[in-house]
Amino acid sequence: MKPFPRAEISRYALQSNLAQLRLIAPNSKIMAVVKANGYGHGLLNVAECVGLLNYVESVCKYHGGADGFGLARLEEALQLREGGVKGKLLLLEGFFRQSDLPTLVSHNIDTVVHHESQLQMLETIALDKPVTVWIKIDTGMHRIGFSLEQFDSIYQRLLACPQVAKPIHLMTHFACADEPDNPLTQTQMNAFEQQVSGLEGDRTLANSAGTLFWPTSQADWVRPGIALYGVSPVVGDRGVNHRLIPAMELVSNLIAVREHKAGDSVGYGASWTAKKDTRLGVVAIGYGDGYPRNAPEGTPVWINGRRVPIVGRVSMDMLTVDLGADAQDNVGDSVQLWGKALAVEEVAEHIGTIAYELVTKLTPRVVVELLD
Ligand SMILES: *Cc1c(COP(=O)(O)O)cnc(C)c1O
């Protein structure tokens, strides 16, 4: 018997999604965003599927691998290098300590510079080689990045800094690209263009939502994260609408099937009571695995070809579902919490969160298994 719960990761889906993103952004290089353990899919799993561990720039495009990887932490980038990834790596929030800079140089890792403190660290260190820098411009997200007013002076300081490789690359990030009617995205694109026009260096603006919904934002590099995993960034939308395939199936097993009488409650707090006689299934997954405790009654799970609702509270190691009075399900049957049959977007809508959070929050107890 296979261990459960497990997250089955589909190599085919990841590769197909990358190919589909190439069709969607045919003139851009792809920086596959693999932060947070490859959005819970396993950093090296994703790298192996879309990154060609023995990356050679000239053959990469032919094989269809990603052109680079975006990460949030230096440790993640080092794991990729240790795993044999040779391609471009970019720290999307840059480095946090001056002592990280020699590591960036020795491991050939690019960094975002979004704050003057990072510039000071670059100006006051001696390095064997200059670092490749992407300057982050705040065009309207107002989280990190240099304001339009600061940009020119910061850019000049970077140009003058011997520790910074030339050309300097150019980057911004969208606040509302997942809202196809929101005018802020075009405003951000215009502000970016105005700021960088005439400058050397590669340009990148688009996350998944930009890539899918704002094709004029694709520029030299797109930075898809969630779309690579087959999931739509837009509430109410589904990855399949963009010919993307869910790369993760979260599965577990039924460990009990019980006759349940009308009027009987189930679980902690006795929060749900059966209106009629039924059969309840107990699934071996809970918040200790990262399945949210706040999943309300009625959140679907997929068993033997149908949706059945969660009833009662999700506990640490188990949850209970109403299989129905005539259910034929048995102990040992497989249960899909999300995946191809039951979109993680749909589950997220029930729980009142986004698919990003569900896939990244699985705990180490969930076995992550890479399948073809
Ligand atoms: C996480 C991240 C992305 C990817 O976002 P998705 O919505 O998952 O496509 C792109 N760019 C930056 C700077 C990020 O932090």
Side-chain angles (χ1 to χ4, degrees), residues 175-195:
C176 301
D178 57 330
E179 299 170 23
D181 298 323
N182 195 315
L184 181 58
T185 307
Q186 189 60 53
T187 305
Q188 290 193 259
M189 283 182 335
N190 296 347
F192 184 74
E193 186 46 45
Q194 202 178 342
Q195 202 54 257

PDB file of all heavy atoms in Angstrom, residues 175-195:
ATOM      1  N   ALA A 175      -0.130  44.589  -8.853  1.00  0.00           N
ATOM      2  CA  ALA A 175      -0.979  44.424  -7.670  1.00  0.00           C
ATOM      3  C   ALA A 175      -2.304  43.734  -8.005  1.00  0.00           C
ATOM      4  O   ALA A 175      -2.851  43.012  -7.171  1.00  0.00           O
ATOM      5  CB  ALA A 175      -1.263  45.787  -7.043  1.00  0.00           C
ATOM      6  N   CYS A 176      -2.829  43.966  -9.203  1.00  0.00           N
ATOM      7  CA  CYS A 176      -4.212  43.553  -9.518  1.00  0.00           C
ATOM      8  C   CYS A 176      -4.335  42.872 -10.869  1.00  0.00           C
ATOM      9  O   CYS A 176      -5.416  42.896 -11.472  1.00  0.00           O
ATOM     10  CB  CYS A 176      -5.135  44.770  -9.489  1.00  0.00           C
ATOM     11  SG  CYS A 176      -5.156  45.621  -7.911  1.00  0.00           S
ATOM     12  N   ALA A 177      -3.267  42.240 -11.338  1.00  0.00           N
ATOM     13  CA  ALA A 177      -3.340  41.629 -12.675  1.00  0.00           C
ATOM     14  C   ALA A 177      -4.353  40.490 -12.724  1.00  0.00           C
ATOM     15  O   ALA A 177      -4.773  40.069 -13.802  1.00  0.00           O
ATOM     16  CB  ALA A 177      -1.957  41.130 -13.086  1.00  0.00           C
ATOM     17  N   ASP A 178      -4.744  39.977 -11.558  1.00  0.00           N
ATOM     18  CA  ASP A 178      -5.743  38.903 -11.511  1.00  0.00           C
ATOM     19  C   ASP A 178      -7.165  39.448 -11.651  1.00  0.00           C
ATOM     20  O   ASP A 178      -8.123  38.674 -11.615  1.00  0.00           O
ATOM     21  CB  ASP A 178      -5.599  38.101 -10.211  1.00  0.00           C
ATOM     22  CG  ASP A 178      -5.715  38.976  -8.981  1.00  0.00           C
ATOM     23  OD1 ASP A 178      -5.347  40.164  -9.043  1.00  0.00           O
ATOM     24  OD2 ASP A 178      -6.184  38.471  -7.953  1.00  0.00           O
ATOM     25  N   GLU A 179      -7.300  40.772 -11.795  1.00  0.00           N
ATOM     26  CA  GLU A 179      -8.619  41.363 -12.047  1.00  0.00           C
ATOM     27  C   GLU A 179      -8.587  41.942 -13.455  1.00  0.00           C
ATOM     28  O   GLU A 179      -8.116  43.069 -13.660  1.00  0.00           O
ATOM     29  CB  GLU A 179      -8.920  42.457 -11.014  1.00  0.00           C
ATOM     30  CG  GLU A 179      -8.945  41.935  -9.587  1.00  0.00           C
ATOM     31  CD  GLU A 179      -9.002  43.071  -8.566  1.00  0.00           C
ATOM     32  OE1 GLU A 179      -9.444  44.187  -8.905  1.00  0.00           O
ATOM     33  OE2 GLU A 179      -8.567  42.841  -7.427  1.00  0.00           O
ATOM     34  N   PRO A 180      -9.092  41.157 -14.430  1.00  0.00           N
ATOM     35  CA  PRO A 180      -8.930  41.572 -15.832  1.00  0.00           C
ATOM     36  C   PRO A 180      -9.531  42.942 -16.145  1.00  0.00           C
ATOM     37  O   PRO A 180      -9.171  43.548 -17.147  1.00  0.00           O
ATOM     38  CB  PRO A 180      -9.631  40.456 -16.605  1.00  0.00           C
ATOM     39  CG  PRO A 180      -9.525  39.261 -15.699  1.00  0.00           C
ATOM     40  CD  PRO A 180      -9.639  39.800 -14.298  1.00  0.00           C
ATOM     41  N   ASP A 181     -10.422  43.457 -15.322  1.00  0.00           N
ATOM     42  CA  ASP A 181     -11.016  44.773 -15.592  1.00  0.00           C
ATOM     43  C   ASP A 181     -10.357  45.894 -14.809  1.00  0.00           C
ATOM     44  O   ASP A 181     -10.770  47.050 -14.912  1.00  0.00           O
ATOM     45  CB  ASP A 181     -12.515  44.761 -15.232  1.00  0.00           C
ATOM     46  CG  ASP A 181     -13.258  43.755 -16.086  1.00  0.00           C
ATOM     47  OD1 ASP A 181     -12.905  43.619 -17.269  1.00  0.00           O
ATOM     48  OD2 ASP A 181     -14.182  43.100 -15.556  1.00  0.00           O
ATOM     49  N   ASN A 182      -9.372  45.577 -13.993  1.00  0.00           N
ATOM     50  CA  ASN A 182      -8.804  46.624 -13.137  1.00  0.00           C
ATOM     51  C   ASN A 182      -7.811  47.476 -13.919  1.00  0.00           C
ATOM     52  O   ASN A 182      -6.830  46.955 -14.457  1.00  0.00           O
ATOM     53  CB  ASN A 182      -8.120  45.985 -11.923  1.00  0.00           C
ATOM     54  CG  ASN A 182      -7.846  47.002 -10.845  1.00  0.00           C
ATOM     55  OD1 ASN A 182      -7.359  48.097 -11.125  1.00  0.00           O
ATOM     56  ND2 ASN A 182      -8.166  46.649  -9.612  1.00  0.00           N
ATOM     57  N   PRO A 183      -8.039  48.782 -14.004  1.00  0.00           N
ATOM     58  CA  PRO A 183      -7.161  49.641 -14.820  1.00  0.00           C
ATOM     59  C   PRO A 183      -5.772  49.833 -14.220  1.00  0.00           C
ATOM     60  O   PRO A 183      -4.875  50.343 -14.898  1.00  0.00           O
ATOM     61  CB  PRO A 183      -7.920  50.971 -14.872  1.00  0.00           C
ATOM     62  CG  PRO A 183      -8.803  50.974 -13.666  1.00  0.00           C
ATOM     63  CD  PRO A 183      -9.142  49.543 -13.374  1.00  0.00           C
ATOM     64  N   LEU A 184      -5.564  49.439 -12.958  1.00  0.00           N
ATOM     65  CA  LEU A 184      -4.256  49.677 -12.339  1.00  0.00           C
ATOM     66  C   LEU A 184      -3.136  48.983 -13.116  1.00  0.00           C
ATOM     67  O   LEU A 184      -2.016  49.502 -13.191  1.00  0.00           O
ATOM     68  CB  LEU A 184      -4.265  49.207 -10.873  1.00  0.00           C
ATOM     69  CG  LEU A 184      -2.949  49.415 -10.109  1.00  0.00           C
ATOM     70  CD1 LEU A 184      -2.530  50.885 -10.086  1.00  0.00           C
ATOM     71  CD2 LEU A 184      -3.056  48.887  -8.675  1.00  0.00           C
ATOM     72  N   THR A 185      -3.431  47.807 -13.701  1.00  0.00           N
ATOM     73  CA  THR A 185      -2.362  47.065 -14.391  1.00  0.00           C
ATOM     74  C   THR A 185      -1.813  47.875 -15.558  1.00  0.00           C
ATOM     75  O   THR A 185      -0.596  47.981 -15.730  1.00  0.00           O
ATOM     76  CB  THR A 185      -2.887  45.698 -14.846  1.00  0.00           C
ATOM     77  OG1 THR A 185      -3.450  45.043 -13.714  1.00  0.00           O
ATOM     78  CG2 THR A 185      -1.767  44.833 -15.405  1.00  0.00           C
ATOM     79  N   GLN A 186      -2.708  48.449 -16.369  1.00  0.00           N
ATOM     80  CA  GLN A 186      -2.236  49.259 -17.497  1.00  0.00           C
ATOM     81  C   GLN A 186      -1.493  50.495 -16.993  1.00  0.00           C
ATOM     82  O   GLN A 186      -0.457  50.873 -17.547  1.00  0.00           O
ATOM     83  CB  GLN A 186      -3.415  49.667 -18.388  1.00  0.00           C
ATOM     84  CG  GLN A 186      -2.992  50.329 -19.691  1.00  0.00           C
ATOM     85  CD  GLN A 186      -2.113  49.423 -20.563  1.00  0.00           C
ATOM     86  OE1 GLN A 186      -2.485  48.287 -20.860  1.00  0.00           O
ATOM     87  NE2 GLN A 186      -0.932  49.916 -20.953  1.00  0.00           N
ATOM     88  N   THR A 187      -1.983  51.078 -15.914  1.00  0.00           N
ATOM     89  CA  THR A 187      -1.289  52.231 -15.322  1.00  0.00           C
ATOM     90  C   THR A 187       0.126  51.838 -14.905  1.00  0.00           C
ATOM     91  O   THR A 187       1.090  52.575 -15.145  1.00  0.00           O
ATOM     92  CB  THR A 187      -2.070  52.737 -14.091  1.00  0.00           C
ATOM     93  OG1 THR A 187      -3.404  53.019 -14.498  1.00  0.00           O
ATOM     94  CG2 THR A 187      -1.441  53.979 -13.489  1.00  0.00           C
ATOM     95  N   GLN A 188       0.254  50.655 -14.287  1.00  0.00           N
ATOM     96  CA  GLN A 188       1.582  50.188 -13.865  1.00  0.00           C
ATOM     97  C   GLN A 188       2.476  49.944 -15.083  1.00  0.00           C
ATOM     98  O   GLN A 188       3.662  50.269 -15.064  1.00  0.00           O
ATOM     99  CB  GLN A 188       1.456  48.910 -13.036  1.00  0.00           C
ATOM    100  CG  GLN A 188       0.844  49.133 -11.649  1.00  0.00           C
ATOM    101  CD  GLN A 188       1.042  47.902 -10.766  1.00  0.00           C
ATOM    102  OE1 GLN A 188       0.139  47.096 -10.588  1.00  0.00           O
ATOM    103  NE2 GLN A 188       2.237  47.735 -10.229  1.00  0.00           N
ATOM    104  N   MET A 189       1.894  49.344 -16.127  1.00  0.00           N
ATOM    105  CA  MET A 189       2.683  49.086 -17.340  1.00  0.00           C
ATOM    106  C   MET A 189       3.187  50.394 -17.932  1.00  0.00           C
ATOM    107  O   MET A 189       4.351  50.498 -18.340  1.00  0.00           O
ATOM    108  CB  MET A 189       1.841  48.320 -18.372  1.00  0.00           C
ATOM    109  CG  MET A 189       1.729  46.875 -18.022  1.00  0.00           C
ATOM    110  SD  MET A 189       0.864  45.757 -19.080  1.00  0.00           S
ATOM    111  CE  MET A 189      -0.250  46.445 -19.987  1.00  0.00           C
ATOM    112  N   ASN A 190       2.317  51.405 -17.986  1.00  0.00           N
ATOM    113  CA  ASN A 190       2.717  52.695 -18.549  1.00  0.00           C
ATOM    114  C   ASN A 190       3.823  53.328 -17.710  1.00  0.00           C
ATOM    115  O   ASN A 190       4.803  53.852 -18.250  1.00  0.00           O
ATOM    116  CB  ASN A 190       1.523  53.653 -18.614  1.00  0.00           C
ATOM    117  CG  ASN A 190       0.434  53.146 -19.557  1.00  0.00           C
ATOM    118  OD1 ASN A 190       0.659  52.221 -20.336  1.00  0.00           O
ATOM    119  ND2 ASN A 190      -0.747  53.731 -19.465  1.00  0.00           N
ATOM    120  N   ALA A 191       3.671  53.298 -16.401  1.00  0.00           N
ATOM    121  CA  ALA A 191       4.668  53.906 -15.520  1.00  0.00           C
ATOM    122  C   ALA A 191       6.013  53.207 -15.690  1.00  0.00           C
ATOM    123  O   ALA A 191       7.070  53.861 -15.742  1.00  0.00           O
ATOM    124  CB  ALA A 191       4.198  53.819 -14.062  1.00  0.00           C
ATOM    125  N   PHE A 192       5.972  51.889 -15.793  1.00  0.00           N
ATOM    126  CA  PHE A 192       7.216  51.123 -15.970  1.00  0.00           C
ATOM    127  C   PHE A 192       7.885  51.519 -17.277  1.00  0.00           C
ATOM    128  O   PHE A 192       9.078  51.831 -17.318  1.00  0.00           O
ATOM    129  CB  PHE A 192       6.891  49.625 -15.955  1.00  0.00           C
ATOM    130  CG  PHE A 192       8.093  48.729 -16.026  1.00  0.00           C
ATOM    131  CD1 PHE A 192       8.930  48.563 -14.930  1.00  0.00           C
ATOM    132  CD2 PHE A 192       8.393  48.032 -17.192  1.00  0.00           C
ATOM    133  CE1 PHE A 192      10.042  47.724 -14.986  1.00  0.00           C
ATOM    134  CE2 PHE A 192       9.500  47.187 -17.262  1.00  0.00           C
ATOM    135  CZ  PHE A 192      10.323  47.035 -16.154  1.00  0.00           C
ATOM    136  N   GLU A 193       7.097  51.521 -18.353  1.00  0.00           N
ATOM    137  CA  GLU A 193       7.653  51.820 -19.671  1.00  0.00           C
ATOM    138  C   GLU A 193       8.285  53.205 -19.682  1.00  0.00           C
ATOM    139  O   GLU A 193       9.387  53.410 -20.197  1.00  0.00           O
ATOM    140  CB  GLU A 193       6.548  51.700 -20.730  1.00  0.00           C
ATOM    141  CG  GLU A 193       7.036  51.853 -22.155  1.00  0.00           C
ATOM    142  CD  GLU A 193       8.301  51.047 -22.452  1.00  0.00           C
ATOM    143  OE1 GLU A 193       8.370  49.858 -22.050  1.00  0.00           O
ATOM    144  OE2 GLU A 193       9.238  51.614 -23.083  1.00  0.00           O
ATOM    145  N   GLN A 194       7.586  54.153 -19.078  1.00  0.00           N
ATOM    146  CA  GLN A 194       8.098  55.516 -19.044  1.00  0.00           C
ATOM    147  C   GLN A 194       9.439  55.577 -18.320  1.00  0.00           C
ATOM    148  O   GLN A 194      10.367  56.259 -18.737  1.00  0.00           O
ATOM    149  CB  GLN A 194       7.080  56.406 -18.336  1.00  0.00           C
ATOM    150  CG  GLN A 194       7.229  57.858 -18.681  1.00  0.00           C
ATOM    151  CD  GLN A 194       6.169  58.690 -17.993  1.00  0.00           C
ATOM    152  OE1 GLN A 194       5.149  58.164 -17.531  1.00  0.00           O
ATOM    153  NE2 GLN A 194       6.404  59.982 -17.901  1.00  0.00           N
ATOM    154  N   GLN A 195       9.528  54.796 -17.235  1.00  0.00           N
ATOM    155  CA  GLN A 195      10.734  54.837 -16.411  1.00  0.00           C
ATOM    156  C   GLN A 195      11.917  54.167 -17.107  1.00  0.00           C
ATOM    157  O   GLN A 195      13.041  54.641 -16.996  1.00  0.00           O
ATOM    158  CB  GLN A 195      10.422  54.113 -15.088  1.00  0.00           C
ATOM    159  CG  GLN A 195      11.294  54.458 -13.944  1.00  0.00           C
ATOM    160  CD  GLN A 195      11.350  55.952 -13.664  1.00  0.00           C
ATOM    161  OE1 GLN A 195      12.317  56.607 -14.004  1.00  0.00           O
ATOM    162  NE2 GLN A 195      10.308  56.479 -13.050  1.00  0.00           N
TER     163      GLN A 195
END
